[in-house]
Amino acid sequence: MAREVQSEPDSMLKIRDVISIRDFSREQIENLLELADDMEQVFHSGSDILRGKILATLFMEPSTRTRLSFTTAMYKLGGKTIGFDSPEMSSVAKGENLSDTIRVVENYCDVIVLRHRMEGAARLAAEYSDVPVINAGSGAEEHPTQALLDLYTIKKELERIDGLKIALLGDLKYGRTVHSLSYALALFDTSLIFISPEGLGMRWEVTHDLKNMGVKVEEFKDLQKVISDIDVLYVTRIQRERFPDPTEYEKLKGSYQINLEVLKNAKPSLIVMHPLPRIDEIAPEVDGTPHAKYFKQPYYGVLVRMAILKSLLT
Ligand code: NCD
């Protein structure tokens, strides 16, 4: 459970851990995105807001952006980082369980950022930890800080979130970013369109929850049916590493690609986003178009993660 902060009533987030985007209210998200705006100046000047604080990055699955952007965010705020970037480099390789790792690492740091292949891992870690835990990806379940930076990207690029039509395209079953993002968008007045290859549709429970929350959700097989209507196209890769059977992946790989032809009838203001890494689902010819925002997301991600760290640690 995200624990309410009792001792720090002024703490903006009023939660101790960042485990699921569902622990956030719209107001908390809006406050955080405003704080991310303030972080732009700090990003350029540097600061000592978190001097003396240590962030531990425990990554038990591969990462480029999330780990490096948390590290950059901590440095920009004057803090330091420790950690490892694969389980082989830690005592996990010797058979240590997650709760023991957490009970040791909490002694070395003020906040833990954890990526783990198991759903529920971050929640478990938070239960054992005396310092805040940030979920940097828990299996196919959630990736809440990615959702926050995705929202921030939409807000910065389109100047609003309410009133938008947002299509999520790709592996909606195993992709954790689309789960967190859908729940986050449900707090705003958005309508969602899910497009996925056969067998990789949005998890039933997510669609069910969204409908219960009053969100307009539509599912399409063909992007062309909606391309001229949408404001945001959020593309994801097929999550090969999560397939129980590699032959299933082989059947589906390369089954969709965004290229200039696909975008021909798009609104000029359409933004194309991707949490990255991209494999082949967006052709490089899209990179130079005004639609492409996927290489701006990493910058927005640092600002958002600075805002998260500042909120949790001051
Ligand atoms: C995503 C992840 O790890 O879930 N990457 C990221 O953090 N930007 C998306 C992915 O791996 O496809």
Side-chain angles (χ1 to χ4, degrees):
M1 285 291 289
R3 276 162 269 182
E4 291 271 335
V5 174
Q6 303 296 342
S7 55
E8 294 172 68
D10 293 334
S11 167
M12 195 194 70
L13 268 179
K14 296 216 168 30
I15 54 174
R16 198 202 68 151
D17 307 296
V18 178
I19 305 300
S20 166
I21 198 72
R22 305 188 75 186
D23 297 333
F24 285 76
S25 65
R26 174 173 172 146
E27 193 189 354
Q28 283 171 315
I29 292 178
E30 282 175 335
N31 288 342
L32 196 69
L33 301 192
E34 268 171 40
L35 186 59
D37 279 338
D38 299 342
M39 291 298 113
E40 180 133 38
Q41 198 247 318
V42 180
F43 178 91
H44 293 292
S45 61
S47 80
D48 60 3
I49 297 170
L50 297 185
R51 191 171 46 181
K53 302 280 188 194
I54 296 176
L55 162 81
T57 54
L58 310 187
F59 278 66
M60 320 242 184
E61 273 195 329
S63 170
T64 300
R65 278 147 292 274
T66 307
R67 190 173 63 82
L68 293 183
S69 73
F70 267 113
T71 304
T72 303
M74 197 62 184
Y75 287 154
K76 293 281 184 185
L77 292 166
K80 292 195 161 56
T81 69
I82 57 171
F84 52 80
D85 54 14
S86 74
E88 294 79 48
M89 298 303 290
S90 73
S91 283
V92 174
K94 300 179 188 169
E96 183 168 68
N97 65 36
L98 179 62
S99 58
D100 283 4
T101 303
I102 295 297
R103 281 184 288 188
V104 171
V105 171
E106 67 177 3
N107 295 287
Y108 307 146
C109 64
D110 302 283
V111 56
I112 293 172
V113 177
L114 174 72
R115 171 169 287 187
H116 199 282
R117 69 183 171 76
M118 298 292 290
E119 299 188 9
R123 186 78 71 195
L124 179 86
E127 273 159 24
Y128 280 94
S129 177
D130 280 337
V131 300
V133 173
I134 301 173
N135 181 6
S138 46
E141 178 190 39
E142 276 232 37
H143 193 345
T145 66
Q146 179 72 42
L148 292 165
L149 83 86
D150 292 336
L151 286 186
Y152 190 59
T153 304
I154 296 171
K155 187 178 158 220
K156 294 299 275 186
E157 295 297 327
L158 295 175
E159 290 168 5
R160 66 193 207 283
I161 299 172
D162 285 317
L164 297 179
K165 213 171 214 189
I166 297 165
L168 309 188
L169 167 77
D171 181 350
L172 308 183
K173 179 178 180 185
Y174 296 119
R176 54 192 169 203
T177 68
V178 286
H179 301 150
S180 294
L181 181 59
S182 300
Y183 284 125
L185 290 168
L187 299 173
F188 295 81
D189 175 24
T190 54
S191 55
L192 304 184
I193 294 168
F194 297 150
I195 308 162
S196 53
E198 198 62 47
L200 295 182
M202 181 56 86
R203 283 181 172 203
W204 177 87
E205 67 270 22
V206 176
T207 311
H208 176 81
D209 291 344
L210 295 172
K211 286 184 176 160
N212 276 347
M213 290 166 84
V215 185
K216 184 164 179 243
V217 180
E218 292 173 285
E219 292 184 65
F220 280 89
K221 284 272 157 285
D222 182 6
L223 173 63
Q224 281 313 310
K225 293 225 157 64
V226 294
I227 190 73
S228 58
D229 245 15
I230 56 177
D231 303 293
V232 178
L233 176 60
Y234 188 93
V235 186
T236 62
R237 73 181 170 98
I238 299 184
Q239 308 276 306
R240 182 180 57 181
E241 67 278 25
R242 306 210 189 280
F243 277 63
D245 175 358
T247 59
E248 286 302 311
Y249 171 75
E250 290 302 317
K251 276 195 244 159
L252 293 168
K253 75 171 186 200
S255 55
Y256 54 96
Q257 192 189 50
I258 305 307
N259 52 33
L260 294 181
E261 178 62 24
V262 169
L263 294 174
K264 212 172 55 192
N265 296 321
K267 290 183 186 176
S269 59
L270 170 80
I271 62 169
V272 178
M273 296 170 60
H274 192 308
L276 302 178
R278 120 177 100 174
I279 311 303
D280 53 9
E281 54 284 344
I282 302 180
E285 65 189 19
V286 178
D287 299 359
T289 70
H291 300 298
K293 300 300 173 199
Y294 34 91
F295 289 119
K296 286 190 88 175
Q297 285 169 261
Y299 171 64
Y300 292 136
V302 176
L303 303 183
V304 168
R305 288 177 173 130
M306 287 169 74
I308 293 169
L309 291 172
K310 181 174 183 298
S311 307
L312 293 181
L313 295 178
T314 61

